[in-house]
């Protein structure tokens, strides 16, 4: 049985990748700082990017690695290169990067991470999802707390659009590239079926939840203050501000067919997501 090590296995994407791989019959080493209890085909293992003493034991026995990368570390590329080197048995590295990174300057942190994976000496596949729908109900620091507590979707985006993708489709894509041939040295851009404004997102969430959720098109100062209230580090706040600058530059506006190409099914719509999230959040 093929063994896949999944980083961030308790997060929005990681927990769904873990579940999908296990359901497909693969053995999963589910890595996180706070590993849970074993389930069918899933072995939780401790892992902390900040503690290299956890790395070797965590990746031991893995035939493939699923990495999410490090968004706010300047030296993320070298850190990820060291981790891959710690897993000599792993022949395939799948990186969950982000939509548009392949068009970013070569010196950009995420572009350097992609380059480190390509230069790792292993077979590699890069998945580049657009904005994740599950941010709306699962990530308090980004959107979920303001939606839950104040019926507000904070996004300084104007009328610019993003082709939001469901993490379940990211998980299905991960299963495809790890269980079928033809995906080595390839990158895939994962999107939902339509590109939407944040005002349209608020309307969809309102219809699904029965609440009047409004889009707050915040100016830069207000938006930065909103993210700062999350308690996350300043580097994360600036990272989010940079992402919204990309939104306003229409970086996330494109729709691709890669979810269908990889999985054989159409990508889930925002309406599909909102119905499954029910009260959202």
């Amino acid at each position: 049985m093929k063994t896949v090590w999944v980083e961030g296995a308790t997060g929005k994407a990681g927990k769904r990748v873990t579940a999908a791989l296990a359901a497909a019959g693969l053995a999963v080493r589910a890595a996180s700082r706070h590993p849970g209890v074993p389930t069918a085909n899933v072995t939780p293992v401790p892992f902390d990017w900040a503690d290299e003493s956890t790395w070797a034991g965590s990746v031991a026995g893995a035939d493939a690695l699923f990495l999410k990368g490090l968004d706010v570390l300047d030296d993320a590329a070298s850190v990820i290169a060291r981790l891959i080197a710690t897993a000599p048995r792993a022949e395939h590295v799948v990186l969950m990067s982000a939509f548009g990174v392949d068009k970013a300057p070569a010196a950009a942190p995420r572009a350097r991470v992609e380059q480190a994976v390509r230069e790792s000496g292993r077979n590699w596949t890069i998945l580049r999802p657009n904005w994740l729908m599950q941010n709306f109900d699962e990530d308090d620091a980004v959107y979920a707390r303001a939606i839950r507590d104040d019926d507000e979707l904070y996004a300084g985006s104007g009328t610019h659009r993003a082709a939001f993708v469901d993490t379940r489709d990211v998980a299905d894509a991960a299963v495809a590239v790890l269980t079928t041939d033809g995906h080595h040295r390839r990158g895939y851009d994962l999107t939902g079926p339509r590109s939407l404004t944040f005002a349209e997102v608020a309307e969809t969430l309102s219809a699904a939840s029965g609440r009047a959720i409004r889009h707050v098109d915040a100016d830069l100062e207000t938006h930065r203050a909103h993210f700062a209230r999350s308690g996350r580090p300043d580097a994360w706040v600036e990272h989010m501000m940079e992402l919204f600058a990309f939104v306003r530059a229409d970086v996330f506006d494109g729709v691709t067919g890669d979810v269908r190409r990889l999985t054989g099914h159409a990508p889930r719509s925002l309406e599909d997501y909102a119905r499954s999230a029910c009260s959202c959040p």
Side-chain angles (χ1 to χ4, degrees):
M1 181 185 295
K2 183 176 183 177
T3 298
V4 181
W5 180 85
V6 176
E7 180 238 327
T10 58
K12 292 186 297 291
K15 66 184 179 183
R16 292 175 173 91
V17 170
T18 294
L21 290 171
L26 282 72
V28 181
R29 292 180 67 79
S32 71
R33 285 179 296 172
H34 307 290
V37 297
T39 57
N41 292 345
V42 177
T43 302
V45 292
F47 175 78
D48 188 341
W49 282 113
D51 182 1
E52 293 195 30
S53 69
T54 66
W55 294 8
S58 186
V59 301
D63 302 303
L65 307 177
F66 179 88
L67 300 169
K68 295 197 300 86
L70 297 162
D71 290 335
V72 297
L73 290 183
D74 290 337
D75 62 343
S78 63
V79 172
I80 282 179
R82 292 201 305 275
L83 174 70
I84 295 171
T86 307
R89 176 171 158 175
E91 297 179 349
H92 188 189
V93 178
V94 177
L95 173 68
M96 178 177 152
S97 184
F99 194 85
V101 171
D102 54 324
K103 300 176 182 64
R110 281 187 169 182
R112 291 172 56 210
V113 167
E114 289 196 6
Q115 187 65 20
V117 169
R118 288 193 294 268
E119 294 177 350
S120 65
R122 317 297 173 89
N123 294 319
W124 55 266
T125 308
I126 297 174
L127 303 178
R128 300 186 185 98
N130 212 305
W131 284 75
L132 301 177
M133 294 178 187
Q134 277 70 16
N135 284 328
F136 297 122
D137 71 306
E138 295 184 20
D139 197 323
D140 279 359
V142 182
Y143 306 119
R145 181 182 292 112
I147 293 175
R148 181 178 61 246
D149 295 348
D150 303 314
D151 291 332
E152 292 180 340
L153 171 56
Y154 254 83
S157 56
T159 58
H160 299 279
R161 297 173 176 270
F164 302 92
V165 65
D166 195 303
T167 55
R168 292 172 293 182
D169 289 329
V170 177
D172 291 346
V175 171
V177 301
L178 283 161
T179 59
T180 61
D181 296 332
H183 305 296
H184 293 167
R185 305 180 68 82
R186 297 283 302 274
Y188 298 98
D189 297 328
L190 308 180
T191 75
R194 291 189 299 138
S195 190
L196 301 165
T197 67
F198 281 82
E200 290 170 331
V201 171
E203 291 172 3
T204 300
L205 300 183
S206 295
S209 65
R211 295 158 50 198
I213 297 168
R214 68 185 185 94
H215 171 218
V216 179
D217 188 14
D219 59 41
L220 292 180
E221 182 178 347
T222 304
H223 209 180
R224 180 177 279 105
H226 166 73
F227 286 131
R229 285 194 294 273
S230 70
R232 296 275 185 92
D234 290 346
W236 179 87
V237 173
E238 293 309 313
H239 170 67
M240 292 304 302
M241 295 303 295
E242 182 180 60
L243 288 181
F244 271 95
F246 293 154
V247 170
R248 294 188 296 274
D250 296 320
V251 169
F252 303 110
D253 192 19
V255 174
T256 77
D258 282 354
V259 167
R260 183 185 291 275
R261 189 171 296 115
L262 287 172
T263 68
H265 65 69
R268 294 168 175 88
S269 68
L270 186 72
E271 290 80 5
D272 294 332
Y273 153 76
R275 283 191 293 269
S276 69
C278 294
S279 58
C280 197

